Each structure stands twice: as C-alpha cells, then as structure tokens.
C-alpha cells in the first residue's frame, strides 16, 4: 500500500506528534479535526498508512518499536567558535539512520484489538503476527484437562498466528465472523471444545473438510467477541517470528509447530476432538 504521508520522522516531529495525540484525546470533535490536520501536515496519516483509528499514545510508540516508523536522531549541536577564532574543519556528520537494524523482539510492537468495540480498520492491512488472549475472567471451554497459559500484556495467551498477506483479513474475517471454522484453525479448535457438531464445509462432502452449523457458528462468533482480545503487529516476514512466539508463549491452541512439553495432553485432546 502506498503511503499517503511518510514513515520517517525527525525526533522533533515525533515529539510534536506525541503532544498532539495527548491534546486530541482531550479535545472536542472540532478540536480533534484541527489536530488531525496538524498531524497530516507533519506527514502522519494514521488510518490510511497504518490502519489505526482513535490513535492513542501507546499506538505511536508501538509503531516506533516495531520499525514501521523510523526516527531520525537529533543532530548534535556544534560548539561554534570562540572570539572569532576558527575551530578548524568541521567533522563529517554521521548518518542519521543506522544501516544495521537491531534484533527484532518478537513480543514488542503490538497494538490491541478488541473485537467488541474496535473497527477492523484498526488492524493493519498488511502481513504480520498476532496473539489471541482470554479477557479478564474468561475461561476456555472445559474439556476435562487443565492447561497452563502464559501471560502477555496482562492477558492469558491461547493462540498465536500469522498472515503473509493481510492480518486484517485473516484475523477479523476468518476468526471473528461466522461460518468460517472450515478456514480457521482457532475457530475449529474452540468449536470442537464446545462439542459443536461438524458438518461438511464444501458442496462435495467427500473432501473431508468440516465446519459447524450456521447457528453454532454464530454462537461461536459471539463467544469469541465476548471472551477474547487480540494483539497484532505488522511485519513483512511474519514466519521469522512465528516459531519464536510459539516457543516463548507455548499457546495451548497452537497444534502445528508446537513442540513444547507444556500442555502436551491438552493439545492431544484438542486434536482428538477436532476429528471426532
């Protein structure tokens, strides 16, 4: 997607954007429009370029941490001259952007997505990684075996995934909208844990692909929106982070590529429920 603004800013511009974001939160509708215009003059188009609406301070920091926005270092001020005496030739300035990128932290740079209140446009329409968590007080369907869950941003992790094209389409359309268990591993596992009856996904029942009935798919969508919250990050090569995320978070509903000794019995029971 072509940028409408830019993704490289000076430190002074970033400082100004931080202040404008804080002012926008407190402003009325008319004031918010004026602030958005000022942000666009700087070159920041949150919705078009980064898929973020209702921009919050943490969103800007996540864009910087993930590398989607690069910040130019401040130029060091020269010491000048004393009493008109020349200080000799100026040293050549170092490049403002380093040629070597720092190691990528697979657990940083995420923005939150609440399927109950956030619009799908909050999710970047680009390749990336995502982490699905239980809301506070929510529980997975009981299958008779307890599972251990790690915590991310204060929430228990149940699943992590990738999209090599668009996490907006993968996350929202396939996971959180109805009649898609045949295309969503997460939905298939959750519906199987609830004991929903499987029906053929395709017109030809011999393909062996299954989903749930329309009424059960609706129930599943409602449960997921009410009980799950998701964190997403844009990343051009999401496969680079996929196995690191599974290894560090050992999410119980990741069945593929999950070699963790944690939740082995739990994952085996889910695999059994998925084919029964």
């Amino acid at each position: 997607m072509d940028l409408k603004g830019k993704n490289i800013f000076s430190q002074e511009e970033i400082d100004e954007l931080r202040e404008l974001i804080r002012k926008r939160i407190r402003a009325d509708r008319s004031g918010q429009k004026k602030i958005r215009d000022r942000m666009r003059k700087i070159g920041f188009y949150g919705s078009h370029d980064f898929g973020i609406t209702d921009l919050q301070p943490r969103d800007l920091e996540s864009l910087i941490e993930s590398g989607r926005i690069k910040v130019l270092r401040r130029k060091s001020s020269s010491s000048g001259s004393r009493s008109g005496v020349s200080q000799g030739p100026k040293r050549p300035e170092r490049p403002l952007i380093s040629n070597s990128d720092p190691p990528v932290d697979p657990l940083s740079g995420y923005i939150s997505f609440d399927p109950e209140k956030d619009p799908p446009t909050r999710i970047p329409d680009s390749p990336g990684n995502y982490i699905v968590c239980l809301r506070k007080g929510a529980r997975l369907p009981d299958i008779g075996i307890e599972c251990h869950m790690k915590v991310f941003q204060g929430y228990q992790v149940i699943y992590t995934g990738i999209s090599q094209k668009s996490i907006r389409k993968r996350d929202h359309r396939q996971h959180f909208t109805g009649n898609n268990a045949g295309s969503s591993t997460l939905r298939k596992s959750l519906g199987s844990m609830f004991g929903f009856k499987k029906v053929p996904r395709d017109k030809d029942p011999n393909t062996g692909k299954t989903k749930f009935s329309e009424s059960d798919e609706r129930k599943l969508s409602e449960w997921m929106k009410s009980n799950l919250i998701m964190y997403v990050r844009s990343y051009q090569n999401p496969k680079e982070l996929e196995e690191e995320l599974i290894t560090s978070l050992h999410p119980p509903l990741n069945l593929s590529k999950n070699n963790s000794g944690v939740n082995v019995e739990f994952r085996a029971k889910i695999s059994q429920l998925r084919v029964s």
Side-chain angles (χ1 to χ4, degrees):
M1 180 179 69
D2 294 333
L3 292 177
K4 197 170 183 179
K6 61 185 183 180
N7 63 352
I8 300 178
F9 297 86
S10 69
Q11 184 63 62
E12 290 78 8
E13 289 173 327
I14 290 296
D15 291 342
E16 185 175 357
L17 284 172
R18 287 187 175 116
E19 181 61 25
L20 289 172
I21 293 170
R22 288 192 289 268
K23 288 181 178 179
R24 189 197 66 83
I25 295 172
R26 300 190 298 267
D28 57 20
R29 181 174 296 181
S30 175
Q32 289 181 358
K33 184 179 184 303
K34 292 177 181 178
I35 291 171
R36 280 196 299 270
D37 290 341
R38 289 177 61 185
M39 295 173 72
R40 288 168 181 166
K41 285 182 180 179
I42 296 173
F44 184 87
Y45 286 75
S47 178
H48 182 278
D49 292 347
F50 304 106
I52 298 176
T53 57
D54 190 24
L55 183 71
Q56 301 294 313
R58 67 177 182 273
D59 296 326
L60 178 62
E61 305 309 322
S62 293
L63 290 172
I64 296 171
E65 290 174 6
S66 66
R68 296 181 70 195
I69 282 181
K70 292 187 180 294
V71 184
L72 303 178
R73 295 198 302 268
R74 283 192 176 98
K75 295 181 182 180
S76 58
S77 59
S78 60
S79 57
S81 60
R82 291 176 296 175
S83 304
V85 178
S86 172
Q87 300 299 309
K90 292 178 66 177
R91 294 180 181 177
E93 292 182 354
R94 291 182 296 177
L96 295 175
I97 301 179
S98 171
N99 291 326
S100 59
D101 293 328
V104 176
D105 180 356
L107 294 175
S108 71
Y110 290 81
I111 61 173
S112 63
F113 174 74
D114 186 333
E116 279 199 314
K117 65 180 183 180
D118 289 333
T121 51
R122 181 169 172 79
I123 303 174
D125 188 15
S126 60
N129 302 77
Y130 57 92
I131 299 169
V132 182
C133 306
L134 289 172
R135 293 181 188 271
K136 300 287 188 182
R139 295 177 61 87
L140 286 172
D142 185 6
I143 61 171
I145 300 175
E146 292 292 328
C147 70
H148 175 74
M149 289 174 278
K150 284 210 169 182
V151 173
F152 177 78
Q153 302 282 7
Y155 297 93
Q156 292 179 307
V157 177
I158 64 168
Y159 186 80
T160 181
I162 70 170
S163 174
Q164 298 190 75
K165 293 184 178 180
S166 170
I167 47 179
R168 182 185 301 171
K169 296 185 176 91
R170 173 66 177 167
D171 290 347
H172 190 259
R173 295 183 188 177
Q174 292 193 17
H175 289 335
F176 286 98
T177 58
N179 204 28
N180 281 313
S183 303
S184 167
T185 298
L186 177 60
R187 288 180 69 89
K188 186 73 168 287
S189 293
L190 286 170
S192 298
M193 293 172 73
F194 276 116
F196 293 155
K197 182 180 178 181
K198 299 172 186 66
V199 299
R201 187 191 73 175
D202 305 317
K203 291 183 179 179
D204 180 4
N206 296 320
T207 64
K209 303 293 184 180
T210 60
K211 60 180 182 179
F212 307 115
S213 68
E214 289 189 16
S215 61
D216 284 341
E217 291 279 2
R218 283 196 298 271
K219 292 176 186 175
L220 182 55
S221 294
E222 291 170 3
W223 184 89
M224 291 176 69
K225 290 176 182 176
S226 300
N227 289 272
L228 304 182
I229 192 166
M230 185 162 58
Y231 288 86
V232 299
R233 69 170 289 173
S234 178
Y235 195 70
Q236 288 303 308
N237 298 300
K239 278 192 171 183
E240 292 181 1
L241 307 183
E242 182 181 20
E243 292 190 19
E244 289 186 69
L245 286 168
I246 294 174
T247 300
S248 60
L249 297 174
H250 50 73
L253 297 189
N254 278 82
L255 307 181
S256 176
K257 301 179 183 178
N258 192 345
N259 300 314
S260 171
V262 180
N263 297 321
V264 172
E265 293 183 6
F266 185 86
R267 295 198 307 273
K269 182 63 178 290
I270 296 246
S271 296
Q272 179 184 349
L273 291 173
R274 285 168 59 94
V275 297
S276 62

